[in-house]
Amino acid sequence: MSKVLKIAYGSVAVGLAVLALKTLAWWVTGSVALLSDALESIVNVATALAALVALRISAMPADADHPYGHHKAEYFSAVLEGVLIVVAAILILREAWDAWQAPALIQAPWQGLGINLLAGVINAVWCLVLLRAGRQMRSPALAADGKHLLTDVMSSLGVTVGVVAAVLTGWAWLDPLLAALVAVNILWSGWDVVRHSIGGLMDESAPEGEIEQMRTLISANAEGAVEAHDLRSRRAGRALFVEFHLVVPGEMTVEAAHEICDRIESAVHVAFEGSRVTIHVEPEHKAKHSGIVVL
């Protein structure tokens, strides 16, 4: 089993444990703010399962029907996560409104807060694991899961502070107000996740910093060629697709041109793990004199 899949299974296990703790905290206190925290954990479990399925699909090798692989499955998982986040926010707003209409004092607050705090610590540790893994493995599914979990951690912290304030002041209306603020925060998180996922589904180009690094690699490893132009790139999950035209002298042999291409591809593969490089070789009269200059 790959490291990515192990982390995905871990997310499901952590999500279930945190959900159980937060549900217990709500049951002990009756706090609608703590209920909102528990509802968000249901979303965490659902999205962890969706990410697991998407990662298993994206790990499948290319086939006749999917010659470019199955990497984009991760983006569908991230979009689904964004949608589920919105659904959770709507449910929380409904509970907050009902509680606002008839505010009630929180029962056994300190026991409930202690349980919720334990769940928050578990979430915070796993959030760091997911964010680091998503960045290192270039996994949109793990990165989206980590960002959502970070929002959950911040929400839990805000809920804890707010519930303490409600208990100390006796202002019961603070409880539903906190739940509503959690819902708004969750909505913002959901929009951010969906926005980045749509960019991947629409074949958004690699970041400008990566494009510049590609230009440098091509220029430094294309000795014998004339120039390179029409550089294009796109990301699909952990895969990076790179395409460009390489202009070589007209008298150069196919074997010599192929050696240059191999050299460039090797350099790009080392710099960008999981990259797929396509090079279109052209004769000298095709030069545009506006592309990448060969060093």
Side-chain angles (χ1 to χ4, degrees):
M1 187 186 301
S2 70
K3 185 177 180 181
V4 174
L5 286 177
K6 288 179 180 178
I7 293 175
Y9 276 110
S11 288
V12 175
V14 170
L16 288 170
V18 170
L19 172 59
L21 287 171
K22 289 189 175 183
T23 301
L24 178 61
W26 162 69
W27 182 77
V28 167
T29 62
S31 165
V32 70
L34 293 181
L35 172 60
S36 71
D37 222 7
L39 284 173
E40 188 174 4
S41 290
I42 294 176
V43 177
N44 288 346
V45 174
T47 52
L49 287 169
L52 176 60
V53 172
L55 286 166
R56 289 185 68 89
I57 294 173
S58 68
M60 294 169 61
D63 53 38
D65 293 326
H66 305 88
Y68 293 98
H70 302 76
H71 308 287
K72 285 192 176 182
E74 292 193 41
Y75 290 118
F76 287 104
S77 166
V79 169
L80 175 61
E81 178 168 346
V83 172
L84 289 174
I85 288 172
V86 172
V87 171
I90 293 172
L91 291 174
I92 292 169
L93 284 172
R94 179 183 173 182
E95 293 293 333
W97 175 251
D98 289 344
W100 181 267
Q101 300 285 72
L105 292 176
I106 299 171
Q107 304 299 316
W110 307 121
Q111 294 93 319
L113 285 173
I115 296 169
N116 212 60
L117 181 60
L118 174 60
V121 171
I122 294 173
N123 256 352
V125 172
W126 193 249
C127 172
L128 293 175
V129 172
L130 286 175
L131 289 174
R132 186 179 295 111
R135 183 173 58 253
Q136 292 176 346
M137 302 176 191
R138 301 182 185 275
S139 169
L142 292 182
D145 211 10
K147 288 177 181 177
H148 176 218
L149 212 56
L150 178 60
T151 301
D152 191 17
V153 171
M154 300 304 294
S155 296
S156 295
L157 181 60
V159 164
T160 300
V161 173
V163 170
V164 169
V167 171
L168 295 179
T169 60
W171 296 342
W173 53 266
L174 272 177
D175 191 35
L177 177 61
L178 280 169
L181 291 175
V182 169
V184 172
N185 188 41
I186 291 172
L187 280 173
W188 178 256
S189 170
W191 160 246
D192 188 54
V193 169
V194 171
R195 180 172 60 86
H196 283 94
S197 301
I198 289 175
L201 289 172
M202 294 295 292
D203 289 335
E204 188 176 43
S205 175
E208 184 57 37
E210 292 186 2
I211 295 291
E212 190 56 39
Q213 188 178 357
M214 292 174 205
R215 291 178 180 274
T216 302
L217 288 170
I218 294 169
S219 177
N221 291 277
E223 183 180 355
V226 177
E227 70 169 33
H229 57 248
D230 293 346
L231 173 63
R232 297 186 300 174
S233 70
R234 62 183 177 89
R235 280 208 171 275
R238 283 163 285 161
L240 172 67
F241 293 88
V242 181
E243 303 174 15
F244 63 92
H245 293 197
L246 183 70
V247 179
V248 300
E251 68 278 4
M252 179 174 284
T253 64
V254 173
E255 183 178 2
H258 191 267
E259 287 179 358
I260 297 174
C261 291
D262 283 347
R263 195 163 59 238
I264 296 172
E265 287 180 27
S266 178
V268 174
H269 288 325
V270 170
F272 300 96
E273 185 180 356
S275 58
R276 315 286 205 281
V277 183
T278 302
I279 305 174
H280 179 69
V281 178
E282 296 179 331
E284 195 165 0
H285 70 273
K286 293 282 189 178
K288 293 187 176 180
H289 306 292
S290 60
I292 302 170
V293 177
V294 176
L295 295 179

PDB file of all heavy atoms in Angstrom, residues 141-176:
ATOM      1  N   ALA A 141      -6.221  15.920  -3.055  1.00  0.00           N
ATOM      2  CA  ALA A 141      -7.177  15.335  -2.111  1.00  0.00           C
ATOM      3  C   ALA A 141      -6.681  15.489  -0.679  1.00  0.00           C
ATOM      4  O   ALA A 141      -7.432  15.912   0.217  1.00  0.00           O
ATOM      5  CB  ALA A 141      -7.419  13.867  -2.438  1.00  0.00           C
ATOM      6  N   LEU A 142      -5.410  15.149  -0.424  1.00  0.00           N
ATOM      7  CA  LEU A 142      -4.859  15.280   0.928  1.00  0.00           C
ATOM      8  C   LEU A 142      -4.742  16.744   1.332  1.00  0.00           C
ATOM      9  O   LEU A 142      -5.004  17.100   2.486  1.00  0.00           O
ATOM     10  CB  LEU A 142      -3.485  14.606   1.007  1.00  0.00           C
ATOM     11  CG  LEU A 142      -3.456  13.079   0.878  1.00  0.00           C
ATOM     12  CD1 LEU A 142      -2.031  12.572   1.028  1.00  0.00           C
ATOM     13  CD2 LEU A 142      -4.369  12.423   1.910  1.00  0.00           C
ATOM     14  N   ALA A 143      -4.353  17.602   0.383  1.00  0.00           N
ATOM     15  CA  ALA A 143      -4.228  19.030   0.689  1.00  0.00           C
ATOM     16  C   ALA A 143      -5.580  19.630   1.059  1.00  0.00           C
ATOM     17  O   ALA A 143      -5.696  20.400   2.018  1.00  0.00           O
ATOM     18  CB  ALA A 143      -3.633  19.773  -0.510  1.00  0.00           C
ATOM     19  N   ALA A 144      -6.636  19.273   0.293  1.00  0.00           N
ATOM     20  CA  ALA A 144      -7.974  19.783   0.583  1.00  0.00           C
ATOM     21  C   ALA A 144      -8.452  19.288   1.937  1.00  0.00           C
ATOM     22  O   ALA A 144      -9.053  20.042   2.719  1.00  0.00           O
ATOM     23  CB  ALA A 144      -8.944  19.353  -0.520  1.00  0.00           C
ATOM     24  N   ASP A 145      -8.188  18.019   2.234  1.00  0.00           N
ATOM     25  CA  ASP A 145      -8.570  17.440   3.518  1.00  0.00           C
ATOM     26  C   ASP A 145      -7.857  18.164   4.664  1.00  0.00           C
ATOM     27  O   ASP A 145      -8.451  18.458   5.710  1.00  0.00           O
ATOM     28  CB  ASP A 145      -8.227  15.949   3.531  1.00  0.00           C
ATOM     29  CG  ASP A 145      -9.197  15.145   4.396  1.00  0.00           C
ATOM     30  OD1 ASP A 145     -10.221  15.717   4.814  1.00  0.00           O
ATOM     31  OD2 ASP A 145      -8.928  13.961   4.644  1.00  0.00           O
ATOM     32  N   GLY A 146      -6.574  18.467   4.461  1.00  0.00           N
ATOM     33  CA  GLY A 146      -5.804  19.166   5.483  1.00  0.00           C
ATOM     34  C   GLY A 146      -6.301  20.579   5.719  1.00  0.00           C
ATOM     35  O   GLY A 146      -6.409  21.039   6.864  1.00  0.00           O
ATOM     36  N   LYS A 147      -6.640  21.291   4.626  1.00  0.00           N
ATOM     37  CA  LYS A 147      -7.144  22.660   4.763  1.00  0.00           C
ATOM     38  C   LYS A 147      -8.489  22.680   5.488  1.00  0.00           C
ATOM     39  O   LYS A 147      -8.756  23.552   6.303  1.00  0.00           O
ATOM     40  CB  LYS A 147      -7.274  23.302   3.384  1.00  0.00           C
ATOM     41  CG  LYS A 147      -5.943  23.647   2.737  1.00  0.00           C
ATOM     42  CD  LYS A 147      -6.132  24.219   1.349  1.00  0.00           C
ATOM     43  CE  LYS A 147      -4.791  24.539   0.694  1.00  0.00           C
ATOM     44  NZ  LYS A 147      -4.967  25.042  -0.689  1.00  0.00           N
ATOM     45  N   HIS A 148      -9.327  21.719   5.155  1.00  0.00           N
ATOM     46  CA  HIS A 148     -10.622  21.649   5.826  1.00  0.00           C
ATOM     47  C   HIS A 148     -10.444  21.339   7.309  1.00  0.00           C
ATOM     48  O   HIS A 148     -11.111  21.916   8.169  1.00  0.00           O
ATOM     49  CB  HIS A 148     -11.504  20.590   5.173  1.00  0.00           C
ATOM     50  CG  HIS A 148     -12.812  20.394   5.867  1.00  0.00           C
ATOM     51  ND1 HIS A 148     -13.404  19.169   6.029  1.00  0.00           N
ATOM     52  CD2 HIS A 148     -13.631  21.282   6.481  1.00  0.00           C
ATOM     53  CE1 HIS A 148     -14.529  19.308   6.701  1.00  0.00           C
ATOM     54  NE2 HIS A 148     -14.692  20.576   6.986  1.00  0.00           N
ATOM     55  N   LEU A 149      -9.516  20.438   7.608  1.00  0.00           N
ATOM     56  CA  LEU A 149      -9.271  20.075   8.999  1.00  0.00           C
ATOM     57  C   LEU A 149      -8.709  21.262   9.775  1.00  0.00           C
ATOM     58  O   LEU A 149      -9.004  21.436  10.967  1.00  0.00           O
ATOM     59  CB  LEU A 149      -8.297  18.892   9.059  1.00  0.00           C
ATOM     60  CG  LEU A 149      -8.495  17.917  10.233  1.00  0.00           C
ATOM     61  CD1 LEU A 149      -9.920  17.381  10.230  1.00  0.00           C
ATOM     62  CD2 LEU A 149      -7.504  16.758  10.119  1.00  0.00           C
ATOM     63  N   LEU A 150      -7.903  22.093   9.103  1.00  0.00           N
ATOM     64  CA  LEU A 150      -7.379  23.293   9.752  1.00  0.00           C
ATOM     65  C   LEU A 150      -8.523  24.231  10.133  1.00  0.00           C
ATOM     66  O   LEU A 150      -8.528  24.816  11.219  1.00  0.00           O
ATOM     67  CB  LEU A 150      -6.398  24.005   8.816  1.00  0.00           C
ATOM     68  CG  LEU A 150      -5.799  25.315   9.340  1.00  0.00           C
ATOM     69  CD1 LEU A 150      -5.024  25.085  10.625  1.00  0.00           C
ATOM     70  CD2 LEU A 150      -4.893  25.949   8.281  1.00  0.00           C
ATOM     71  N   THR A 151      -9.504  24.349   9.232  1.00  0.00           N
ATOM     72  CA  THR A 151     -10.689  25.156   9.533  1.00  0.00           C
ATOM     73  C   THR A 151     -11.433  24.586  10.730  1.00  0.00           C
ATOM     74  O   THR A 151     -11.921  25.322  11.596  1.00  0.00           O
ATOM     75  CB  THR A 151     -11.626  25.198   8.312  1.00  0.00           C
ATOM     76  OG1 THR A 151     -10.928  25.742   7.198  1.00  0.00           O
ATOM     77  CG2 THR A 151     -12.841  26.065   8.593  1.00  0.00           C
ATOM     78  N   ASP A 152     -11.509  23.264  10.788  1.00  0.00           N
ATOM     79  CA  ASP A 152     -12.187  22.593  11.899  1.00  0.00           C
ATOM     80  C   ASP A 152     -11.469  22.888  13.214  1.00  0.00           C
ATOM     81  O   ASP A 152     -12.108  23.131  14.251  1.00  0.00           O
ATOM     82  CB  ASP A 152     -12.221  21.084  11.622  1.00  0.00           C
ATOM     83  CG  ASP A 152     -13.141  20.349  12.589  1.00  0.00           C
ATOM     84  OD1 ASP A 152     -13.967  21.011  13.240  1.00  0.00           O
ATOM     85  OD2 ASP A 152     -13.032  19.116  12.703  1.00  0.00           O
ATOM     86  N   VAL A 153     -10.139  22.858  13.175  1.00  0.00           N
ATOM     87  CA  VAL A 153      -9.351  23.140  14.388  1.00  0.00           C
ATOM     88  C   VAL A 153      -9.608  24.571  14.870  1.00  0.00           C
ATOM     89  O   VAL A 153      -9.823  24.815  16.070  1.00  0.00           O
ATOM     90  CB  VAL A 153      -7.847  22.932  14.109  1.00  0.00           C
ATOM     91  CG1 VAL A 153      -7.011  23.427  15.292  1.00  0.00           C
ATOM     92  CG2 VAL A 153      -7.553  21.455  13.851  1.00  0.00           C
ATOM     93  N   MET A 154      -9.599  25.525  13.928  1.00  0.00           N
ATOM     94  CA  MET A 154      -9.848  26.922  14.295  1.00  0.00           C
ATOM     95  C   MET A 154     -11.264  27.111  14.832  1.00  0.00           C
ATOM     96  O   MET A 154     -11.494  27.863  15.779  1.00  0.00           O
ATOM     97  CB  MET A 154      -9.615  27.827  13.077  1.00  0.00           C
ATOM     98  CG  MET A 154      -8.200  27.768  12.516  1.00  0.00           C
ATOM     99  SD  MET A 154      -6.936  28.146  13.766  1.00  0.00           S
ATOM    100  CE  MET A 154      -7.308  29.861  14.114  1.00  0.00           C
ATOM    101  N   SER A 155     -12.222  26.399  14.199  1.00  0.00           N
ATOM    102  CA  SER A 155     -13.614  26.476  14.669  1.00  0.00           C
ATOM    103  C   SER A 155     -13.725  25.947  16.096  1.00  0.00           C
ATOM    104  O   SER A 155     -14.400  26.540  16.947  1.00  0.00           O
ATOM    105  CB  SER A 155     -14.531  25.672  13.746  1.00  0.00           C
ATOM    106  OG  SER A 155     -14.553  26.217  12.453  1.00  0.00           O
ATOM    107  N   SER A 156     -13.071  24.813  16.353  1.00  0.00           N
ATOM    108  CA  SER A 156     -13.119  24.210  17.690  1.00  0.00           C
ATOM    109  C   SER A 156     -12.534  25.146  18.740  1.00  0.00           C
ATOM    110  O   SER A 156     -13.063  25.264  19.855  1.00  0.00           O
ATOM    111  CB  SER A 156     -12.350  22.884  17.696  1.00  0.00           C
ATOM    112  OG  SER A 156     -12.965  21.936  16.859  1.00  0.00           O
ATOM    113  N   LEU A 157     -11.446  25.818  18.368  1.00  0.00           N
ATOM    114  CA  LEU A 157     -10.819  26.760  19.295  1.00  0.00           C
ATOM    115  C   LEU A 157     -11.776  27.914  19.605  1.00  0.00           C
ATOM    116  O   LEU A 157     -11.954  28.306  20.767  1.00  0.00           O
ATOM    117  CB  LEU A 157      -9.521  27.294  18.691  1.00  0.00           C
ATOM    118  CG  LEU A 157      -8.724  28.274  19.557  1.00  0.00           C
ATOM    119  CD1 LEU A 157      -8.317  27.616  20.861  1.00  0.00           C
ATOM    120  CD2 LEU A 157      -7.486  28.771  18.804  1.00  0.00           C
ATOM    121  N   GLY A 158     -12.400  28.445  18.535  1.00  0.00           N
ATOM    122  CA  GLY A 158     -13.344  29.547  18.735  1.00  0.00           C
ATOM    123  C   GLY A 158     -14.547  29.123  19.562  1.00  0.00           C
ATOM    124  O   GLY A 158     -15.022  29.878  20.430  1.00  0.00           O
ATOM    125  N   VAL A 159     -15.046  27.914  19.301  1.00  0.00           N
ATOM    126  CA  VAL A 159     -16.190  27.394  20.053  1.00  0.00           C
ATOM    127  C   VAL A 159     -15.839  27.249  21.530  1.00  0.00           C
ATOM    128  O   VAL A 159     -16.626  27.607  22.414  1.00  0.00           O
ATOM    129  CB  VAL A 159     -16.646  26.041  19.463  1.00  0.00           C
ATOM    130  CG1 VAL A 159     -17.551  25.307  20.444  1.00  0.00           C
ATOM    131  CG2 VAL A 159     -17.366  26.254  18.145  1.00  0.00           C
ATOM    132  N   THR A 160     -14.655  26.732  21.806  1.00  0.00           N
ATOM    133  CA  THR A 160     -14.230  26.537  23.197  1.00  0.00           C
ATOM    134  C   THR A 160     -14.189  27.861  23.950  1.00  0.00           C
ATOM    135  O   THR A 160     -14.721  27.984  25.063  1.00  0.00           O
ATOM    136  CB  THR A 160     -12.831  25.875  23.236  1.00  0.00           C
ATOM    137  OG1 THR A 160     -12.895  24.599  22.585  1.00  0.00           O
ATOM    138  CG2 THR A 160     -12.361  25.690  24.666  1.00  0.00           C
ATOM    139  N   VAL A 161     -13.563  28.866  23.334  1.00  0.00           N
ATOM    140  CA  VAL A 161     -13.481  30.188  23.969  1.00  0.00           C
ATOM    141  C   VAL A 161     -14.879  30.764  24.185  1.00  0.00           C
ATOM    142  O   VAL A 161     -15.198  31.319  25.248  1.00  0.00           O
ATOM    143  CB  VAL A 161     -12.634  31.143  23.103  1.00  0.00           C
ATOM    144  CG1 VAL A 161     -12.684  32.565  23.675  1.00  0.00           C
ATOM    145  CG2 VAL A 161     -11.187  30.655  23.040  1.00  0.00           C
ATOM    146  N   GLY A 162     -15.730  30.620  23.149  1.00  0.00           N
ATOM    147  CA  GLY A 162     -17.073  31.174  23.237  1.00  0.00           C
ATOM    148  C   GLY A 162     -17.937  30.499  24.282  1.00  0.00           C
ATOM    149  O   GLY A 162     -18.687  31.176  25.010  1.00  0.00           O
ATOM    150  N   VAL A 163     -17.856  29.184  24.371  1.00  0.00           N
ATOM    151  CA  VAL A 163     -18.651  28.458  25.356  1.00  0.00           C
ATOM    152  C   VAL A 163     -18.209  28.829  26.769  1.00  0.00           C
ATOM    153  O   VAL A 163     -19.042  28.987  27.677  1.00  0.00           O
ATOM    154  CB  VAL A 163     -18.545  26.934  25.127  1.00  0.00           C
ATOM    155  CG1 VAL A 163     -19.163  26.171  26.290  1.00  0.00           C
ATOM    156  CG2 VAL A 163     -19.249  26.540  23.824  1.00  0.00           C
ATOM    157  N   VAL A 164     -16.904  28.985  26.971  1.00  0.00           N
ATOM    158  CA  VAL A 164     -16.405  29.423  28.279  1.00  0.00           C
ATOM    159  C   VAL A 164     -16.993  30.790  28.623  1.00  0.00           C
ATOM    160  O   VAL A 164     -17.450  31.034  29.752  1.00  0.00           O
ATOM    161  CB  VAL A 164     -14.861  29.483  28.271  1.00  0.00           C
ATOM    162  CG1 VAL A 164     -14.354  30.193  29.529  1.00  0.00           C
ATOM    163  CG2 VAL A 164     -14.270  28.087  28.196  1.00  0.00           C
ATOM    164  N   ALA A 165     -17.007  31.693  27.617  1.00  0.00           N
ATOM    165  CA  ALA A 165     -17.562  33.035  27.850  1.00  0.00           C
ATOM    166  C   ALA A 165     -19.051  32.956  28.177  1.00  0.00           C
ATOM    167  O   ALA A 165     -19.550  33.669  29.062  1.00  0.00           O
ATOM    168  CB  ALA A 165     -17.336  33.907  26.609  1.00  0.00           C
ATOM    169  N   ALA A 166     -19.787  32.083  27.487  1.00  0.00           N
ATOM    170  CA  ALA A 166     -21.221  31.940  27.727  1.00  0.00           C
ATOM    171  C   ALA A 166     -21.493  31.429  29.142  1.00  0.00           C
ATOM    172  O   ALA A 166     -22.426  31.878  29.820  1.00  0.00           O
ATOM    173  CB  ALA A 166     -21.834  30.995  26.693  1.00  0.00           C
ATOM    174  N   VAL A 167     -20.668  30.484  29.575  1.00  0.00           N
ATOM    175  CA  VAL A 167     -20.850  29.913  30.913  1.00  0.00           C
ATOM    176  C   VAL A 167     -20.526  30.946  31.986  1.00  0.00           C
ATOM    177  O   VAL A 167     -21.278  31.105  32.974  1.00  0.00           O
ATOM    178  CB  VAL A 167     -19.949  28.672  31.094  1.00  0.00           C
ATOM    179  CG1 VAL A 167     -19.968  28.198  32.543  1.00  0.00           C
ATOM    180  CG2 VAL A 167     -20.417  27.550  30.166  1.00  0.00           C
ATOM    181  N   LEU A 168     -19.431  31.688  31.820  1.00  0.00           N
ATOM    182  CA  LEU A 168     -19.007  32.650  32.838  1.00  0.00           C
ATOM    183  C   LEU A 168     -19.943  33.855  32.937  1.00  0.00           C
ATOM    184  O   LEU A 168     -20.145  34.413  34.004  1.00  0.00           O
ATOM    185  CB  LEU A 168     -17.581  33.119  32.540  1.00  0.00           C
ATOM    186  CG  LEU A 168     -16.478  32.048  32.642  1.00  0.00           C
ATOM    187  CD1 LEU A 168     -15.122  32.637  32.298  1.00  0.00           C
ATOM    188  CD2 LEU A 168     -16.451  31.435  34.048  1.00  0.00           C
ATOM    189  N   THR A 169     -20.507  34.278  31.793  1.00  0.00           N
ATOM    190  CA  THR A 169     -21.382  35.458  31.787  1.00  0.00           C
ATOM    191  C   THR A 169     -22.855  35.108  32.001  1.00  0.00           C
ATOM    192  O   THR A 169     -23.656  35.970  32.379  1.00  0.00           O
ATOM    193  CB  THR A 169     -21.258  36.210  30.449  1.00  0.00           C
ATOM    194  OG1 THR A 169     -21.652  35.337  29.377  1.00  0.00           O
ATOM    195  CG2 THR A 169     -19.831  36.683  30.215  1.00  0.00           C
ATOM    196  N   GLY A 170     -23.215  33.836  31.704  1.00  0.00           N
ATOM    197  CA  GLY A 170     -24.621  33.454  31.796  1.00  0.00           C
ATOM    198  C   GLY A 170     -25.436  33.891  30.598  1.00  0.00           C
ATOM    199  O   GLY A 170     -26.670  33.787  30.600  1.00  0.00           O
ATOM    200  N   TRP A 171     -24.783  34.400  29.557  1.00  0.00           N
ATOM    201  CA  TRP A 171     -25.484  34.833  28.345  1.00  0.00           C
ATOM    202  C   TRP A 171     -25.720  33.624  27.447  1.00  0.00           C
ATOM    203  O   TRP A 171     -24.865  33.234  26.648  1.00  0.00           O
ATOM    204  CB  TRP A 171     -24.672  35.887  27.604  1.00  0.00           C
ATOM    205  CG  TRP A 171     -24.485  37.159  28.390  1.00  0.00           C
ATOM    206  CD1 TRP A 171     -25.206  37.587  29.465  1.00  0.00           C
ATOM    207  CD2 TRP A 171     -23.482  38.158  28.157  1.00  0.00           C
ATOM    208  NE1 TRP A 171     -24.746  38.777  29.939  1.00  0.00           N
ATOM    209  CE2 TRP A 171     -23.690  39.163  29.143  1.00  0.00           C
ATOM    210  CE3 TRP A 171     -22.456  38.324  27.230  1.00  0.00           C
ATOM    211  CZ2 TRP A 171     -22.886  40.299  29.217  1.00  0.00           C
ATOM    212  CZ3 TRP A 171     -21.663  39.453  27.287  1.00  0.00           C
ATOM    213  CH2 TRP A 171     -21.886  40.427  28.268  1.00  0.00           C
ATOM    214  N   ALA A 172     -26.892  33.032  27.519  1.00  0.00           N
ATOM    215  CA  ALA A 172     -27.192  31.816  26.759  1.00  0.00           C
ATOM    216  C   ALA A 172     -27.201  32.056  25.254  1.00  0.00           C
ATOM    217  O   ALA A 172     -26.932  31.141  24.480  1.00  0.00           O
ATOM    218  CB  ALA A 172     -28.554  31.262  27.204  1.00  0.00           C
ATOM    219  N   TRP A 173     -27.483  33.305  24.828  1.00  0.00           N
ATOM    220  CA  TRP A 173     -27.540  33.595  23.395  1.00  0.00           C
ATOM    221  C   TRP A 173     -26.168  33.516  22.718  1.00  0.00           C
ATOM    222  O   TRP A 173     -26.080  33.452  21.486  1.00  0.00           O
ATOM    223  CB  TRP A 173     -28.167  34.971  23.152  1.00  0.00           C
ATOM    224  CG  TRP A 173     -27.511  36.091  23.927  1.00  0.00           C
ATOM    225  CD1 TRP A 173     -27.874  36.582  25.138  1.00  0.00           C
ATOM    226  CD2 TRP A 173     -26.348  36.842  23.517  1.00  0.00           C
ATOM    227  NE1 TRP A 173     -27.030  37.587  25.542  1.00  0.00           N
ATOM    228  CE2 TRP A 173     -26.090  37.777  24.561  1.00  0.00           C
ATOM    229  CE3 TRP A 173     -25.527  36.839  22.409  1.00  0.00           C
ATOM    230  CZ2 TRP A 173     -25.032  38.681  24.498  1.00  0.00           C
ATOM    231  CZ3 TRP A 173     -24.468  37.732  22.335  1.00  0.00           C
ATOM    232  CH2 TRP A 173     -24.226  38.644  23.384  1.00  0.00           C
ATOM    233  N   LEU A 174     -25.103  33.524  23.515  1.00  0.00           N
ATOM    234  CA  LEU A 174     -23.764  33.399  22.923  1.00  0.00           C
ATOM    235  C   LEU A 174     -23.574  32.042  22.241  1.00  0.00           C
ATOM    236  O   LEU A 174     -22.860  31.926  21.247  1.00  0.00           O
ATOM    237  CB  LEU A 174     -22.693  33.573  24.010  1.00  0.00           C
ATOM    238  CG  LEU A 174     -22.218  34.996  24.317  1.00  0.00           C
ATOM    239  CD1 LEU A 174     -21.219  34.967  25.462  1.00  0.00           C
ATOM    240  CD2 LEU A 174     -21.618  35.638  23.077  1.00  0.00           C
ATOM    241  N   ASP A 175     -24.236  31.022  22.778  1.00  0.00           N
ATOM    242  CA  ASP A 175     -24.079  29.668  22.249  1.00  0.00           C
ATOM    243  C   ASP A 175     -24.551  29.567  20.788  1.00  0.00           C
ATOM    244  O   ASP A 175     -23.779  29.158  19.907  1.00  0.00           O
ATOM    245  CB  ASP A 175     -24.829  28.680  23.149  1.00  0.00           C
ATOM    246  CG  ASP A 175     -24.508  27.232  22.826  1.00  0.00           C
ATOM    247  OD1 ASP A 175     -23.361  26.940  22.455  1.00  0.00           O
ATOM    248  OD2 ASP A 175     -25.416  26.387  22.950  1.00  0.00           O
ATOM    249  N   PRO A 176     -25.800  29.952  20.468  1.00  0.00           N
ATOM    250  CA  PRO A 176     -26.220  29.896  19.061  1.00  0.00           C
ATOM    251  C   PRO A 176     -25.469  30.876  18.168  1.00  0.00           C
ATOM    252  O   PRO A 176     -25.273  30.613  16.975  1.00  0.00           O
ATOM    253  CB  PRO A 176     -27.718  30.226  19.117  1.00  0.00           C
ATOM    254  CG  PRO A 176     -27.925  30.921  20.412  1.00  0.00           C
ATOM    255  CD  PRO A 176     -26.928  30.326  21.351  1.00  0.00           C
TER     256      PRO A 176
END
